[in-house]
Amino acid sequence: MIEDVDLRDPRADEILVRLVATGICHTDLTVKARAGGVGAAVLGHEGAGVVEEVGPAVRGVRPGDHVVLTFASCGSCDLCRAGAPSYCELFGPLNSGGVLGSGDDTLHGAGGRIGGSFFGQSSFATHALTRSSNTVVVPRTLDLAMAAPLGCGVQTGAGAVLNVLRPDEDSSLLILGLGGVGLSALMIARAIGVETVVAVDPVASRREVARRLGASLVLPPADDLVAVVRERTGGGVTHALDTTANTQVITQAFDALARRGQLVLVGLGMGELRIDGSQLMSGGRTVRGCIEGDAVPHDLIGELASMHESGALPLEAIVRHYPFELINTAVDDMRDGSAIKPVLLFG
Ligand SMILES: [Zn+2]
Ligand SMILES: [Zn+2]
C-alpha cells in the first residue's frame, strides 16, 4: 500500500536522504510475513540516494553527497570497535526496533505511529532518516540504480567470500541458492580468480545466469548432489556458502566439504542443524554463520562500487528495475524466482 506519511525532521546526528533507488531483499519479505501482528511499517533496507540535509553533529556527509545506505550499528560497543559492526550489541534494536514498536519513532500517518527506521533507513519511501554509521558516500559517477543492493544483498554474498571464506585460485567453492546473495558471491569469486565454482538452484533461469557469470558447474538440487560434487571436484569442495537456510541443503553442503573445508551460512531463519560431529572433527571442517558478509560497510561498499565501475562486478546481470509504484509486482517476481534482485526506482 502506498500512502503519504510524515517523517520527522533530522536530529543532530541524523541525515535526511532522498531515495533514488532501493533494492528488495528477502529479509523485507521475511519480516513482512512475520510482522502481521505488529502493525503498519515501512520496510526497505537497500536504499541509495542523495543527501538533502544533515544534523549539526554529522561529520563526513554533506548535502548533495550520493550515498548507499546499509545496516545500522552503534559504533561504540566492543564489537563495533573491533571492526565487526554486523555483530553490534545493538544490532537488533537499531535495525528492527522501530518496526517492532520498541525503537525510534520516525514516521506518523493518519492512524498514528508507523514502524520505521528499518535497518536505520526504511527505504521503501521517498525519504529516509539515517546516521553516518549506515550512510556510505559513493562517487557521483556511480549509478545509484545499480548500486542500491550493495548495502545488503551484494555485501552479504561478496563479503562472505572476501572476508570469511577467502578462497584462492585453486579453491573450489560450492554455492547453494542463486538469488542476489548467491550470485554476488559467484561474481566476486570469479573476480578474484576462483576457477571452480559449483552453483546450485532449482530455478533454471537462475542457473543460466550463473553459467553466464562463469560458474564451472551448474546443478539443480538433487538427492545425489553430494556424490556429484565430490566426483566433479576430486573429493569435495574446499569452500561452501549456503544462502537457502534449508537445513537439508545445509547438511548436503557440509557433506560435500573436503577435509579442512569451510561452510558459511548466511540464510535467515534456519532451524536446527544436523551435521556429523565426527566428520566435523576428523576432517578439521568448519561451519560458521555470517551476518552482512562480516562487512565494515564504509570499506567494503566502496571497494564493491569501484569493482562495479571497472566492470568486475556486473550487477546488471542480477538487477531488474521497476518503478516504485510496482513494488508488489517486484515482490511477486522475486518470490517466483523470475527477478533475482528487484530494484525500485523513484520517479
Ligand atoms: Zn555496536
Ligand atoms: Zn537484506
Side-chain angles (χ1 to χ4, degrees), residues 17-312:
V17 177
R18 175 177 61 81
L19 275 308
V20 170
T22 183
I24 304 177
C25 176
H26 272 287
T27 306
D28 296 309
L29 310 191
T30 307
V31 170
K32 181 170 185 286
R34 283 188 193 160
V38 172
V42 176
L43 301 177
H45 64 286
E46 287 185 344
V50 180
V51 173
E52 287 206 333
E53 203 178 322
V54 300
V58 172
R59 298 283 173 269
V61 181
R62 275 177 281 188
D65 280 348
H66 288 204
V67 292
V68 168
L69 307 179
T70 185
F71 64 89
S73 57
C74 80
S76 54
C77 71
D78 287 351
L79 285 155
C80 279
R81 282 188 292 156
S86 62
Y87 306 100
C88 172
E89 284 166 18
L90 295 178
F91 190 92
L94 286 174
N95 289 285
S96 55
V99 164
L100 297 176
S102 56
D104 200 0
D105 281 352
T106 54
L107 296 169
H108 285 83
R113 181 187 189 281
I114 292 175
S117 215
F118 188 54
F119 280 71
Q121 51 184 290
S122 283
S123 58
F124 292 158
T126 56
H127 291 78
L129 281 180
T130 70
R131 292 190 169 85
S132 52
S133 67
N134 74 320
T135 306
V136 179
V137 178
V138 294
R140 295 193 185 194
T141 49
L142 184 67
D143 179 1
L144 294 175
M146 281 297 165
L150 292 180
C152 185
V154 175
Q155 168 171 267
T156 295
V161 172
L162 292 174
N163 295 331
V164 187
L165 288 163
R166 298 168 160 270
D168 60 29
E169 290 167 19
D170 299 326
S171 303
S172 47
L173 170 63
L174 171 64
I175 300 172
L176 289 312
L178 302 174
V181 173
L183 288 170
S184 296
L186 168 60
M187 284 190 263
I188 284 293
R190 295 295 296 132
I192 62 172
V194 180
E195 287 293 332
T196 305
V197 182
V198 183
V200 181
D201 195 279
V203 180
S205 58
R206 293 182 170 203
R207 295 198 299 273
E208 184 50 39
V209 174
R211 195 174 283 116
R212 284 207 302 276
L213 289 171
S216 45
L217 179 62
V218 175
L219 299 167
D223 291 342
D224 65 349
L225 183 73
V226 175
V228 173
V229 170
R230 284 189 161 278
E231 194 213 314
R232 294 290 293 269
T233 56
V237 290
T238 57
H239 300 78
L241 176 70
D242 178 75
T243 73
T244 71
N246 177 318
T247 52
Q248 283 173 308
V249 171
I250 292 168
T251 301
Q252 284 186 314
F254 178 74
D255 290 342
L257 286 180
R259 285 175 176 258
R260 302 208 67 208
Q262 186 179 14
L263 166 62
V264 167
L265 310 176
V266 300
L268 190 70
M270 73 192 85
E272 194 172 328
L273 300 180
R274 283 187 183 276
I275 53 172
D276 182 334
S278 37
Q279 287 288 326
L280 183 72
M281 279 291 295
S282 64
R285 295 175 176 88
T286 308
V287 180
R288 207 261 222 193
C290 173
I291 295 285
E292 297 282 350
D294 274 22
V296 175
H298 286 76
D299 297 336
L300 185 60
I301 289 174
E303 193 182 327
L304 297 175
S306 45
M307 287 179 79
H308 174 63
E309 289 201 294
S310 74

